[in-house]
Amino acid sequence: MPTNTVNPVLAPIRRWVLYSRTNLTITIVAAFAVLFVAGSLFSHSPTATNTASAAEFPTTPTASASADADAAVDGDLTHDLTEVTESAIAGKSAAAVAESPPATAMTYAHIYVDRSLSNNEWKTKLGKHTADAPSVTVLNARPLVPVAITGPTRSESVAGIGGGSAVQVVVPTQAGDMRITLKATDSGSGSVWQVQSPLPTLDRSEVDKLGVPSLTSAPTSKSAPTPEMVTTTPAPQSTTSTDATATSTSMQEPAASTTSPSTSLERAPIPVPGPIPIPDLDTPLPGAL
């Protein structure tokens, strides 16, 4: 026969909880308090450890990205004097050509002789490759006639203005050589090659020798035909109708007079000999029997 065993631990707790609602509420609050205290004691904060690791190893992703960007900017600047032609810089951006002194000089010369730009566009594009903005003197020296660049650059290292090293690039043109001095300067986005002041220009007297390009002669307008130029093709005469011949003759004569400016009066139509033909009518003429 089974015996009813009572748990000596849970039985008193069950009787105490079920005794009243107040005891139940107190038990629930006490259980949450115990869990909160236990969590505070056995948990640990990773802030101190992470801070120490960051101080000991400062190569965080942000720092690495910044270092890579700086290295890329400084690493793209080259001191190699690789000569370029005008076609070699076509389509390149201002940042790309600023990495090389010959490319920067050729771009400056290409913009300088460009006649398709307005004055504001010309100064803006030219100023992207110069240490100082183009002045009014440079604008007044802008060529008024097309000037072609005749060859590749010629570069050499020289002493820079105000100390330091610089590069002098010669760009040959139809109006003479354009000597451009460049120096590596630190801009907002990194080190770039820039044209130093005074900004180079071409000799205006040599540019004027090229002259204004000759305009192609316009096609001569067609003048009125002279009497000698007018050729009249006789209209085929009809053998069956005499009045048709007379009509065609009278229509051709005014046309000949309009094509000949020297004739002031119209010629009278030539009379056709012979009787006037009577047309065939379905009804008789009035008064005819």
Side-chain angles (χ1 to χ4, degrees):
M1 190 173 173
T3 58
N4 188 9
T5 60
V6 179
N7 193 328
V9 177
L10 297 179
I13 297 176
R14 186 183 306 167
R15 284 194 303 267
W16 188 81
V17 168
L18 298 177
Y19 181 76
S20 65
R21 294 181 180 179
T22 303
N23 294 341
L24 178 61
T25 304
I26 294 174
T27 303
I28 295 174
V29 172
F32 276 104
V34 171
L35 294 176
F36 177 78
V37 173
S40 301
L41 294 177
F42 294 101
S43 63
H44 64 281
S45 177
T47 306
T49 305
N50 293 340
T51 304
S53 300
E56 187 175 358
F57 304 100
T59 56
T60 60
T62 304
S64 300
S66 179
D68 293 341
D70 295 340
V73 171
D74 296 337
D76 290 341
L77 189 67
T78 177
H79 293 266
D80 296 337
L81 303 181
T82 303
E83 309 301 344
V84 296
T85 59
E86 188 176 10
S87 59
I89 63 169
K92 290 188 176 182
S93 61
V97 300
E99 300 170 2
S100 171
T104 304
M106 179 60 77
T107 305
Y108 176 90
H110 175 76
I111 299 174
Y112 182 83
V113 299
D114 190 359
R115 294 295 306 151
S116 64
L117 303 174
S118 64
N119 287 339
N120 291 334
E121 293 175 344
W122 186 80
K123 292 176 62 177
T124 301
K125 288 191 173 183
L126 207 65
K128 293 180 180 179
H129 306 281
T130 60
D132 300 327
S135 60
V136 179
T137 304
V138 179
L139 180 61
N140 293 335
R142 182 183 182 184
L144 300 179
V145 297
V147 180
I149 297 175
T150 58
T153 57
R154 301 191 303 269
S155 309
E156 62 177 350
S157 298
V158 295
I161 301 175
S165 60
V167 176
Q168 188 178 73
V169 181
V170 177
V171 180
T173 68
Q174 285 181 317
D177 293 340
M178 177 178 285
R179 299 184 178 275
I180 304 174
T181 303
L182 302 100
K183 191 175 181 181
T185 58
D186 188 13
S187 64
S189 58
S191 297
V192 294
W193 289 98
Q194 289 183 335
V195 180
Q196 301 300 304
S197 296
L199 300 183
T201 57
L202 291 174
D203 189 356
R204 193 61 178 270
S205 60
E206 296 295 330
V207 174
D208 294 339
K209 290 180 182 179
L210 299 177
V212 179
S214 60
L215 300 176
T216 57
S217 58
T220 57
S221 59
K222 294 183 180 180
S223 58
T226 60
E228 292 78 4
M229 297 173 60
V230 177
T231 58
T232 305
T233 303
Q237 297 182 356
S238 174
T239 58
T240 59
S241 177
T242 309
D243 56 349
T245 305
T247 304
S248 62
T249 305
S250 61
M251 292 177 63
Q252 291 178 3
E253 291 302 327
S257 64
T258 55
T259 56
S260 178
S262 60
T263 305
S264 59
L265 298 176
E266 298 182 357
R267 295 189 226 172
I270 300 174
V272 179
I276 299 175
I278 299 174
D280 295 334
L281 301 176
D282 295 339
T283 58
L285 295 173
L289 297 177

PDB file of all heavy atoms in Angstrom, residues 50-64:
ATOM      1  N   ASN A  50      39.509  45.874 -23.082  1.00  0.00           N
ATOM      2  CA  ASN A  50      39.535  46.383 -24.455  1.00  0.00           C
ATOM      3  C   ASN A  50      40.319  47.677 -24.558  1.00  0.00           C
ATOM      4  O   ASN A  50      41.019  47.919 -25.534  1.00  0.00           O
ATOM      5  CB  ASN A  50      38.103  46.606 -24.946  1.00  0.00           C
ATOM      6  CG  ASN A  50      37.354  45.281 -25.080  1.00  0.00           C
ATOM      7  OD1 ASN A  50      37.968  44.224 -25.160  1.00  0.00           O
ATOM      8  ND2 ASN A  50      36.018  45.353 -25.110  1.00  0.00           N
ATOM      9  N   THR A  51      40.200  48.533 -23.518  1.00  0.00           N
ATOM     10  CA  THR A  51      40.946  49.785 -23.543  1.00  0.00           C
ATOM     11  C   THR A  51      42.438  49.523 -23.503  1.00  0.00           C
ATOM     12  O   THR A  51      43.227  50.174 -24.205  1.00  0.00           O
ATOM     13  CB  THR A  51      40.526  50.673 -22.357  1.00  0.00           C
ATOM     14  OG1 THR A  51      39.110  50.861 -22.415  1.00  0.00           O
ATOM     15  CG2 THR A  51      41.228  52.002 -22.405  1.00  0.00           C
ATOM     16  N   ALA A  52      42.859  48.591 -22.676  1.00  0.00           N
ATOM     17  CA  ALA A  52      44.277  48.255 -22.605  1.00  0.00           C
ATOM     18  C   ALA A  52      44.773  47.675 -23.919  1.00  0.00           C
ATOM     19  O   ALA A  52      45.876  47.985 -24.387  1.00  0.00           O
ATOM     20  CB  ALA A  52      44.510  47.266 -21.462  1.00  0.00           C
ATOM     21  N   SER A  53      43.953  46.849 -24.570  1.00  0.00           N
ATOM     22  CA  SER A  53      44.357  46.268 -25.843  1.00  0.00           C
ATOM     23  C   SER A  53      44.482  47.336 -26.917  1.00  0.00           C
ATOM     24  O   SER A  53      45.397  47.309 -27.737  1.00  0.00           O
ATOM     25  CB  SER A  53      43.341  45.209 -26.275  1.00  0.00           C
ATOM     26  OG  SER A  53      43.256  44.174 -25.299  1.00  0.00           O
ATOM     27  N   ALA A  54      43.541  48.282 -26.911  1.00  0.00           N
ATOM     28  CA  ALA A  54      43.606  49.357 -27.906  1.00  0.00           C
ATOM     29  C   ALA A  54      44.819  50.231 -27.710  1.00  0.00           C
ATOM     30  O   ALA A  54      45.437  50.697 -28.670  1.00  0.00           O
ATOM     31  CB  ALA A  54      42.327  50.198 -27.847  1.00  0.00           C
ATOM     32  N   ALA A  55      45.195  50.474 -26.434  1.00  0.00           N
ATOM     33  CA  ALA A  55      46.388  51.281 -26.180  1.00  0.00           C
ATOM     34  C   ALA A  55      47.653  50.538 -26.558  1.00  0.00           C
ATOM     35  O   ALA A  55      48.639  51.129 -27.005  1.00  0.00           O
ATOM     36  CB  ALA A  55      46.421  51.691 -24.705  1.00  0.00           C
ATOM     37  N   GLU A  56      47.638  49.220 -26.355  1.00  0.00           N
ATOM     38  CA  GLU A  56      48.843  48.435 -26.653  1.00  0.00           C
ATOM     39  C   GLU A  56      48.984  48.180 -28.147  1.00  0.00           C
ATOM     40  O   GLU A  56      50.094  48.178 -28.677  1.00  0.00           O
ATOM     41  CB  GLU A  56      48.759  47.100 -25.901  1.00  0.00           C
ATOM     42  CG  GLU A  56      50.034  46.277 -26.014  1.00  0.00           C
ATOM     43  CD  GLU A  56      49.951  45.024 -25.162  1.00  0.00           C
ATOM     44  OE1 GLU A  56      48.919  44.860 -24.478  1.00  0.00           O
ATOM     45  OE2 GLU A  56      50.885  44.229 -25.197  1.00  0.00           O
ATOM     46  N   PHE A  57      47.863  48.020 -28.879  1.00  0.00           N
ATOM     47  CA  PHE A  57      47.881  47.781 -30.326  1.00  0.00           C
ATOM     48  C   PHE A  57      46.996  48.835 -30.990  1.00  0.00           C
ATOM     49  O   PHE A  57      45.791  48.638 -31.142  1.00  0.00           O
ATOM     50  CB  PHE A  57      47.356  46.375 -30.650  1.00  0.00           C
ATOM     51  CG  PHE A  57      48.108  45.285 -29.929  1.00  0.00           C
ATOM     52  CD1 PHE A  57      47.584  44.699 -28.782  1.00  0.00           C
ATOM     53  CD2 PHE A  57      49.339  44.867 -30.393  1.00  0.00           C
ATOM     54  CE1 PHE A  57      48.275  43.705 -28.129  1.00  0.00           C
ATOM     55  CE2 PHE A  57      50.031  43.867 -29.734  1.00  0.00           C
ATOM     56  CZ  PHE A  57      49.507  43.283 -28.594  1.00  0.00           C
ATOM     57  N   PRO A  58      47.533  49.980 -31.388  1.00  0.00           N
ATOM     58  CA  PRO A  58      46.709  51.071 -31.911  1.00  0.00           C
ATOM     59  C   PRO A  58      46.283  50.894 -33.354  1.00  0.00           C
ATOM     60  O   PRO A  58      45.717  51.804 -33.934  1.00  0.00           O
ATOM     61  CB  PRO A  58      47.645  52.279 -31.783  1.00  0.00           C
ATOM     62  CG  PRO A  58      49.013  51.701 -31.914  1.00  0.00           C
ATOM     63  CD  PRO A  58      48.951  50.337 -31.294  1.00  0.00           C
ATOM     64  N   THR A  59      46.536  49.766 -33.971  1.00  0.00           N
ATOM     65  CA  THR A  59      46.186  49.577 -35.382  1.00  0.00           C
ATOM     66  C   THR A  59      44.728  49.152 -35.496  1.00  0.00           C
ATOM     67  O   THR A  59      44.410  48.000 -35.768  1.00  0.00           O
ATOM     68  CB  THR A  59      47.093  48.508 -36.013  1.00  0.00           C
ATOM     69  OG1 THR A  59      46.985  47.309 -35.236  1.00  0.00           O
ATOM     70  CG2 THR A  59      48.534  48.969 -36.037  1.00  0.00           C
ATOM     71  N   THR A  60      43.811  50.066 -35.257  1.00  0.00           N
ATOM     72  CA  THR A  60      42.380  49.814 -35.428  1.00  0.00           C
ATOM     73  C   THR A  60      42.033  49.946 -36.903  1.00  0.00           C
ATOM     74  O   THR A  60      42.805  50.493 -37.704  1.00  0.00           O
ATOM     75  CB  THR A  60      41.569  50.822 -34.600  1.00  0.00           C
ATOM     76  OG1 THR A  60      41.902  52.136 -35.057  1.00  0.00           O
ATOM     77  CG2 THR A  60      41.890  50.685 -33.127  1.00  0.00           C
ATOM     78  N   PRO A  61      40.850  49.470 -37.344  1.00  0.00           N
ATOM     79  CA  PRO A  61      40.485  49.604 -38.766  1.00  0.00           C
ATOM     80  C   PRO A  61      40.476  51.033 -39.257  1.00  0.00           C
ATOM     81  O   PRO A  61      40.876  51.320 -40.371  1.00  0.00           O
ATOM     82  CB  PRO A  61      39.087  48.964 -38.824  1.00  0.00           C
ATOM     83  CG  PRO A  61      39.067  48.001 -37.680  1.00  0.00           C
ATOM     84  CD  PRO A  61      39.884  48.636 -36.605  1.00  0.00           C
ATOM     85  N   THR A  62      40.023  51.979 -38.401  1.00  0.00           N
ATOM     86  CA  THR A  62      39.995  53.380 -38.827  1.00  0.00           C
ATOM     87  C   THR A  62      41.395  53.910 -39.033  1.00  0.00           C
ATOM     88  O   THR A  62      41.694  54.605 -40.012  1.00  0.00           O
ATOM     89  CB  THR A  62      39.239  54.233 -37.794  1.00  0.00           C
ATOM     90  OG1 THR A  62      37.936  53.682 -37.615  1.00  0.00           O
ATOM     91  CG2 THR A  62      39.152  55.675 -38.250  1.00  0.00           C
ATOM     92  N   ALA A  63      42.284  53.588 -38.078  1.00  0.00           N
ATOM     93  CA  ALA A  63      43.664  54.043 -38.208  1.00  0.00           C
ATOM     94  C   ALA A  63      44.341  53.410 -39.408  1.00  0.00           C
ATOM     95  O   ALA A  63      45.121  54.052 -40.113  1.00  0.00           O
ATOM     96  CB  ALA A  63      44.437  53.717 -36.921  1.00  0.00           C
ATOM     97  N   SER A  64      44.052  52.152 -39.678  1.00  0.00           N
ATOM     98  CA  SER A  64      44.654  51.475 -40.823  1.00  0.00           C
ATOM     99  C   SER A  64      44.189  52.095 -42.132  1.00  0.00           C
ATOM    100  O   SER A  64      44.978  52.306 -43.053  1.00  0.00           O
ATOM    101  CB  SER A  64      44.292  49.985 -40.798  1.00  0.00           C
ATOM    102  OG  SER A  64      44.768  49.389 -39.605  1.00  0.00           O
TER     103      SER A  64
END
